[in-house]
């Protein structure tokens, strides 16, 4: 049963939003539980959003670059905050 659960999680996708605080904009993203924060950052860059000197927060907690979506307990429908370093 555990093997089946792990193999199904490979296909799981979460639809989340990233709130860009500087531009007051919500960007939709589709992510996998195994995606790292740096992968989210790369997705935003592909969408034309510069995110390299900004920090991701979820539930008032700063997210590390190597942290996965699953480790951060991000779920479908979650909103992440992206804030500039100032």
């Amino acid at each position: 049963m555990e093997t089946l659960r792990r193999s199904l999680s490979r296909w799981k996708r979460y639809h989340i939003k990233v709130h860009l605080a500087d531009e007051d904009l919500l960007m939709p993203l589709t992510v996998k539980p195994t995606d790292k924060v740096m992968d989210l950052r790369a997705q935003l860059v592909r969408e034309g959003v510069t995110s390299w000197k900004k920090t991701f927060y979820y539930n008032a907690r700063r997210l590390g670059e190597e942290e996965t979506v699953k480790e951060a307990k991000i779920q479908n429908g979650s909103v992440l905050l992206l804030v500039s370093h100032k």
Side-chain angles (χ1 to χ4, degrees):
M1 187 67 174
E2 183 62 30
T3 305
L4 177 62
R5 186 176 299 129
R6 269 189 266 139
S7 65
L8 288 176
S9 70
R10 184 176 349 155
W11 302 105
K12 189 181 282 188
R13 299 283 189 269
Y14 296 143
H15 300 283
I16 65 168
K17 292 186 186 330
V18 176
H19 180 239
L20 308 171
D22 297 340
E23 291 116 36
D24 198 27
L25 181 69
L26 275 176
M27 289 287 298
L29 291 180
T30 302
V31 298
K32 297 179 289 189
T34 56
D35 285 347
K36 296 181 179 183
V37 170
M38 69 173 79
D39 299 326
L40 305 183
R41 194 177 295 282
Q43 280 190 35
L44 287 173
V45 169
R46 284 193 294 271
E47 296 291 326
V49 176
T50 304
S51 66
W52 295 114
K53 293 188 178 181
K54 299 180 181 179
T55 305
F56 282 98
Y57 288 89
Y58 178 62
N59 283 344
R61 189 176 67 79
R62 183 180 183 162
L63 301 178
E65 288 298 307
E66 294 292 323
E67 198 168 0
T68 65
V69 169
K70 186 176 181 178
E71 291 168 348
K73 297 181 174 67
I74 297 169
Q75 300 174 359
N76 195 36
S78 295
V79 177
L80 277 62
L81 180 62
L82 186 63
V83 180
S84 294
H85 299 285
K86 290 186 182 179

